[in-house]
Amino acid sequence: MSDVLRKLAEVLEERKQADPDSSYVAKLYSKGLDSILKKIGEEATETVMAAKDGDADQIIYETADLWFHSMVLLAHQGISPDDVLNELDRRFGLSGLEEKASRTEK
């Protein structure tokens, strides 16, 4: 895992114990899963809109927000970013068609 992802994952874990009035992430955690999912939906939409506009800086900014809020979700659910990276590694070298077919066989 990159240093940035590792550091962020550590901070997100620490925020689980923080006072919701002291931290944006702690406040998201206190509001629960639906609020976290709503933020991911908002950020995904903003990322799509930035891509449609073709502004590279805005795409990067919105993608960072989307990744951040996705990591909040992972931490909330007790899932490590390493788990996602391991899944991506598992898929590496598979064609997208093969990977999709393997999901439908389960």
Side-chain angles (χ1 to χ4, degrees), residues 21-97:
D21 291 332
S22 70
S23 160
Y24 169 75
V25 172
K27 186 174 285 192
L28 266 180
Y29 287 146
S30 73
K31 290 181 177 181
L33 182 61
D34 286 346
S35 288
I36 295 168
L37 296 175
K38 181 178 177 188
K39 281 304 297 179
I40 291 173
E42 289 172 13
E43 299 305 341
T45 299
E46 290 171 1
T47 301
V48 168
M49 290 168 42
K52 294 284 277 180
D53 291 342
D55 180 341
D57 289 337
Q58 199 62 26
I59 294 167
I60 292 165
Y61 182 88
E62 295 302 344
T63 300
D65 280 351
L66 178 58
W67 286 13
F68 174 85
H69 287 91
S70 295
M71 287 188 63
V72 171
L73 170 65
L74 293 175
H76 185 266
Q77 298 293 84
I79 300 169
S80 167
D82 280 326
D83 296 327
V84 177
L85 293 173
N86 290 338
E87 175 60 16
L88 288 172
D89 188 51
R90 182 192 71 78
R91 295 180 189 185
F92 197 82
L94 289 178
S95 80
L97 296 175

Side-chain angles (χ1 to χ4, degrees), residues 91 93-105:
R91 295 180 189 185
L94 289 178
S95 80
L97 296 175
E98 288 172 354
E99 197 285 323
K100 188 170 183 176
S102 74
R103 285 187 274 157
T104 57
E105 292 172 5

